[in-house]
């Protein structure tokens, strides 16, 4: 059992290399062991490329015959952009498969493990399952609910302000925390802000302080007020910027599209983009994880409708007095009516304290 844990931990470590790169596929790691030695390793790098099991089998070659295969997710058993991994595993002569979790994708959902058992392979499942589920929380939520996994990030002073009374917010958090946020961006399929944040800060919303790919930039802009001269619509940044709107003016759409941006028309609710409709449309485009970075009105709307799965609060050792709160929510006059969160972890990031929490209203299945 100790060796099983060691090899599955290695598979999890390999799978992490693909986090944020594989959507709409899951991130998967695989290790093949024979006579106590690792003879093959692989991790899924991008949708449409070979899966982790196939790469590990190719590295192992004939040494895969009679070996144990450790994989973070149940091997696929259907034809997609690549052939079924179960067929490759059976053909290679693997004698035992240990999977971290079953695949919730309807075309798999236990059928992959069943196919391996029917071929005479010893199959075990559930080793380090929580770690394996954490790797693919976006994939799991998308295939089970049709919605992306949303992580809300906010940098605040100790008295709970995300900006001064004048709207100035640079910089609340320390440099170490800013690097952590950029790692979060690189690990997510999209970063989302409201148009008020664009107008106030003119951010780039790309990955700069660490190595990693830029996520899709989603600006929730109900009336298309984003200035065409702003950063998210300039040069290469525009190509990965999507403006979500309920504005139907096609000529206005065309101006943004001419700059290289995407415009996504959504249903309206109270004159603003209906967020469930937007999230559904993003999931259909392969967006599985979203880093929500503000502003307060958008964050408040998402929290009230149970659309935030996880919160990461960066608290800087500063006090500004009057300022802006992270969630614009009105009507709460009693603590009995407050939105409750479950604390997951508290850590330090440079001089800042980081609080990880999950709203109790969230519909996360991870």
């Amino acid at each position: 059992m100790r060796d099983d844990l060691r090899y599955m931990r290695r598979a999890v470590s390999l799978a992490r290399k693909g986090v944020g790169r594989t959507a709409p596929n899951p991130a998967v790691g695989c290790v093949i062991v024979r006579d106590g030695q690792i003879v093959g390793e692989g991790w899924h790098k991008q949708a449409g490329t070979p899966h982790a099991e196939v790469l590990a089998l190719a590295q192992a070659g004939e040494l895969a015959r009679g070996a144990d295969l450790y994989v973070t997710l149940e091997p696929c058993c259907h034809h997609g952009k690549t052939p079924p991994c179960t067929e490759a595993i059976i053909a290679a002569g693997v004698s035992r498969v240990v999977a971290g979790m079953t695949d919730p994708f309807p075309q798999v959902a236990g059928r992959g493990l069943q196919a391996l058992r029917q071929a005479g392979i010893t199959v075990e499942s559930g080793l380090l399952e929580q770690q394996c589920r954490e790797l693919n929380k976006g994939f799991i939520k998308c295939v089970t609910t049709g919605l992306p996994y949303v992580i809300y990030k906010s940098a605040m002073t100790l008295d709970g302000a995300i900006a001064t009374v004048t709207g100035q917010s640079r910089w609340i958090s320390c440099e170490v925390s800013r690097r952590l946020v950029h790692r979060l961006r690189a690990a997510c399929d999209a970063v989302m802000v409201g148009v008020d944040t664009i107008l106030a800060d003119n951010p780039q919303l790309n990955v700069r302080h660490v190595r990693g790919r830029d996520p899709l930039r989603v600006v929730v802009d109900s009336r298309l007020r984003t200035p065409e001269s702003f950063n998210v619509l300039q040069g290469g940044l525009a190509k990965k910027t999507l403006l979500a709107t309920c504005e139907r003016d096609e000529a206005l759409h065309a101006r943004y599209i001419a700059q290289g941006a995407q415009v996504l028309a959504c249903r309206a609710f109270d004159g603003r983009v209906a967020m469930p409709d937007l999230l559904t449309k993003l999931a259909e485009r392969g967006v599985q994880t979203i880093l929500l970075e503000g502003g307060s009105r958008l964050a408040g709307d998402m929290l009230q409708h149970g659309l935030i799965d996880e919160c990461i609060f960066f608290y800087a050792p500063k006090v500004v007095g009057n300022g802006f709160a992270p969630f614009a929510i009105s009507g709460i006059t009693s603590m009995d009516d407050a939105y409750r969160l479950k604390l997951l972890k508290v850590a330090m990031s440079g001089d800042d304290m980081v609080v990880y929490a999950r709203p109790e209203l969230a519909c996360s299945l991870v």
Side-chain angles (χ1 to χ4, degrees):
M1 180 62 177
R2 182 178 298 174
D3 286 343
D4 284 349
L5 285 171
R6 178 160 63 95
Y7 297 133
M8 185 60 79
R9 288 192 183 105
R10 176 58 182 166
V12 168
S13 177
L14 289 168
R16 287 198 182 103
K17 296 182 178 184
V19 171
R21 302 170 181 268
T22 61
N25 288 357
V28 180
C30 180
V31 172
I32 299 175
V33 178
R34 179 169 170 176
D35 298 328
Q37 298 293 321
I38 294 177
V39 295
E41 293 185 337
W43 53 280
H44 188 41
K45 297 177 174 62
Q46 185 179 350
T49 65
H51 290 186
E53 300 95 317
V54 172
L55 292 171
L57 288 169
Q59 188 178 99
E62 284 301 314
L63 293 176
R65 190 162 301 278
D68 294 344
L69 183 148
Y70 299 83
V71 63
T72 55
L73 184 71
E74 173 185 8
C76 66
C77 56
H78 65 293
H79 285 271
K81 292 183 178 179
T82 58
C85 289
T86 51
E87 293 182 2
I89 292 169
I90 294 167
V94 169
S95 65
R96 177 172 173 252
V97 170
V98 181
M101 60 173 287
T102 57
D103 189 341
F105 189 64
Q107 289 180 264
V108 185
R111 295 181 183 89
L113 299 181
Q114 182 181 7
L116 296 175
R117 288 191 180 101
Q118 289 175 344
I121 296 173
T122 300
V123 173
E124 300 171 27
S125 181
L127 185 64
L128 297 184
E129 181 170 0
Q130 190 53 44
Q131 291 185 34
C132 293
R133 294 180 72 85
E134 182 68 21
L135 283 169
N136 286 303
K137 52 194 176 185
F139 171 77
I140 294 168
K141 190 178 179 192
C142 269
V143 300
T144 54
T145 71
L147 296 173
Y149 188 94
V150 178
I151 303 168
Y152 172 65
K153 181 280 302 182
S154 181
M156 293 182 284
T157 58
L158 283 181
D159 55 342
I162 61 170
T164 66
V165 70
T166 63
Q168 204 271 338
S169 62
R170 294 183 177 176
W171 295 101
I172 292 177
S173 56
C174 68
E175 185 176 344
V176 174
S177 295
R178 293 199 292 275
R179 285 201 299 270
L180 176 54
V181 169
H182 281 254
R183 283 199 293 272
L184 286 169
R185 286 182 181 177
C188 289
D189 300 318
V191 56
M192 178 185 289
V193 299
V195 66
D196 290 340
T197 296
I198 295 293
L199 295 174
D201 298 337
N202 189 17
Q204 297 180 64
L205 300 178
N206 59 356
V207 174
R208 298 186 300 280
H209 301 298
V210 299
R211 292 181 63 183
R213 67 171 183 83
D214 285 346
L216 175 70
R217 288 170 285 277
V218 179
V219 180
V220 183
D221 187 356
S222 299
R223 293 289 164 238
L224 289 181
R225 294 186 291 137
T226 301
E228 295 171 47
S229 61
F230 271 36
N231 285 328
V232 293
L233 295 175
Q234 297 308 300
L237 292 180
K239 295 177 182 178
K240 291 194 72 172
T241 295
L242 183 149
L243 302 176
T245 185
C246 41
E247 173 62 63
R248 301 293 173 174
D249 185 336
E250 293 188 3
L252 188 53
H253 287 200
R255 283 166 48 187
Y256 289 108
I257 293 170
Q259 288 193 236
Q262 305 170 57
V263 178
L264 181 60
C266 301
R267 290 201 300 268
F269 179 78
D270 282 346
R272 301 198 301 270
V273 168
M275 293 309 297
D277 184 52
L278 170 57
L279 293 181
T280 299
K281 285 180 165 66
L282 290 175
E284 290 170 350
R285 290 173 172 235
V287 174
Q288 296 178 343
T289 52
I290 296 174
L291 183 64
L292 175 63
E293 296 200 32
S296 58
R297 187 170 66 174
L298 176 60
D301 185 42
M302 296 274 279
L303 181 67
Q304 286 176 290
H305 288 89
L307 298 174
I308 294 176
D309 297 283
E310 184 180 336
C311 296
I312 304 177
F313 300 110
F314 292 84
Y315 286 95
K318 301 174 183 177
V319 172
V320 297
N322 292 335
F324 288 92
F327 299 101
I329 300 173
S330 59
I332 296 178
T333 58
S334 167
M335 282 297 169
D336 292 336
D337 299 326
Y339 289 88
R340 300 189 65 83
L341 287 77
K342 178 182 179 182
L343 288 180
L344 303 175
K345 183 174 69 172
V346 178
M348 294 300 297
S349 173
D351 294 331
D352 301 336
M353 179 175 66
V354 190
V355 176
Y356 298 81
R358 176 166 293 141
E360 292 187 357
L361 263 175
C363 58
S364 171
L365 300 176
V366 177

